[in-house]
Amino acid sequence: MTTPGAADEPMALAAERLRTAGMRVTAPRMAVLMAVSDSGGHLDADTLRERAQRIIGRLSLQATYNVLRALTDAGLVRSTQIAGHPTRYETERHDNHHHFVCRACGSIRDVECTVGAAPCIEPRLPEEYDIREAAVTFWGLCPGCRATASAS
Amino acid sequence: MTTPGAADEPMALAAERLRTAGMRVTAPRMAVLMAVSDSGGHLDADTLRERAQRIIGRLSLQATYNVLRALTDAGLVRSTQIAGHPTRYETERHDNHHHFVCRACGSIRDVECTVGAAPCIEPRLPEEYDIREAAVTFWGLCPGCRATASAS
DNA sequence: GCTTTTTCTTGAATCGGTCAAGTATATGGA
DNA sequence: TCCATATACTTGACCGATTCAAGAAAAAGC
């Protein structure tokens, strides 16, 4: 028992990640975290629920949403909302990458950033990708709210 | 009757814009188009419905959606989907601008593009805006779909 | 172990938006 | 000017994604 089976490794890793993030370690959380991790990203809540169920058997959709929210708040998971699609989840890698979405098949692909910190508009994508448009949304605080926030 | 009243002007203009776009000229369409035009942008379907109703009296929400879809398809209106908000509509100005959304109050503001054609990441916003992050989504065709599209 | 606190389950509800069927109306031709 | 026909609007049901609420279950600390 000193060397756990190979199948236990990812679960032990998931438990460790949860513990490090200061979260309670539960079967649903480990399962969802594992599902997000080895999916390659961009899965929606319902699909992640299915994958998680394969690992631990039963899991309600509501719990899946709860877990995803918790993991996102803890910075372990990144959620992305793309117009016309349900919210997708992927492992948070803090690499500030963006997304390419195919208008025809809906497939999603990561797009690396040329610059480090700031998001860049020159996408690092193979030439075969036919980019038609880019939607850029900046998030932050408007002058009014910034003043209110710094005052408190 | 040769010189229409001042109040008729925007309506006549709306009618003209619809006609130019090859669309049937109807009261709902004129009203919604006027509502979008003089709103300064970023209103959702339900709010636009209210504004349109002030102009023509009655208008179903379904019709509002139909009209907005038609106007968008015709290139008269631009729709923007921002995570966590219902779809917003604004006059299509073909200027390829982007959006700033305040995390605190949810207000939306246009962000001009420094470059002409391509979307740019260096936002033209006053310094008082505290930009925390940017979500960039590229839309187009992936290699597979591009091949299929050009083949047909 | 036992207690406390957090999390999970179940089931209802909400929100933004679409589908479908029937009625009304804009437009082009007689 | 009126008619025919295609298109648009109204009403009402429906849907998918997500959240709310209440009670049962299970982690973590003592």
Side-chain angles (χ1 to χ4, degrees), chain B residues 18-20 24 26-27 33 50 58 85 87 91 105 110 114 120 135 138 146 151-152:
Chain B
L18 289 170
R19 213 168 279 119
T20 304
R24 283 198 178 182
T26 69
L33 189 51
E50 279 175 34
R58 186 129 213 80
H85 297 248
T87 303
T91 303
C105 67
D110 284 347
T114 36
C120 58
F138 298 97
R146 187 184 195 177
S152 64

Side-chain angles (χ1 to χ4, degrees), chain B residues 23-27 45 62 65 69 86-87:
Chain B
M23 301 173 71
R24 283 198 178 182
V25 178
T26 69
Q62 177 65 60
Y65 278 110
R69 159 91 51 98
T87 303

Side-chain angles (χ1 to χ4, degrees), chain A residues 23-26 45 61-62 65 69 86-87:
Chain A
M23 300 173 73
R24 283 197 179 184
V25 178
T26 69
L61 182 56
Q62 175 65 61
Y65 276 110
R69 159 90 51 96
T87 303

Side-chain angles (χ1 to χ4, degrees), chain B residues 73-127:
Chain B
D73 289 349
L76 295 177
V77 162
R78 172 179 168 185
S79 73
T80 308
Q81 281 182 270
I82 288 172
H85 297 248
T87 303
R88 308 306 179 95
Y89 300 87
E90 59 190 312
T91 303
E92 174 63 90
R93 281 176 283 132
H94 301 285
D95 63 349
N96 197 46
H97 68 271
H98 303 302
H99 296 97
F100 170 88
V101 187
C102 180
R103 284 275 187 215
C105 67
S107 65
I108 300 173
R109 197 202 129 117
D110 284 347
V111 178
E112 302 310 326
C113 227
T114 36
V115 188
C120 58
I121 212 61
E122 199 57 52
R124 270 199 197 283
L125 276 177
E127 278 202 9

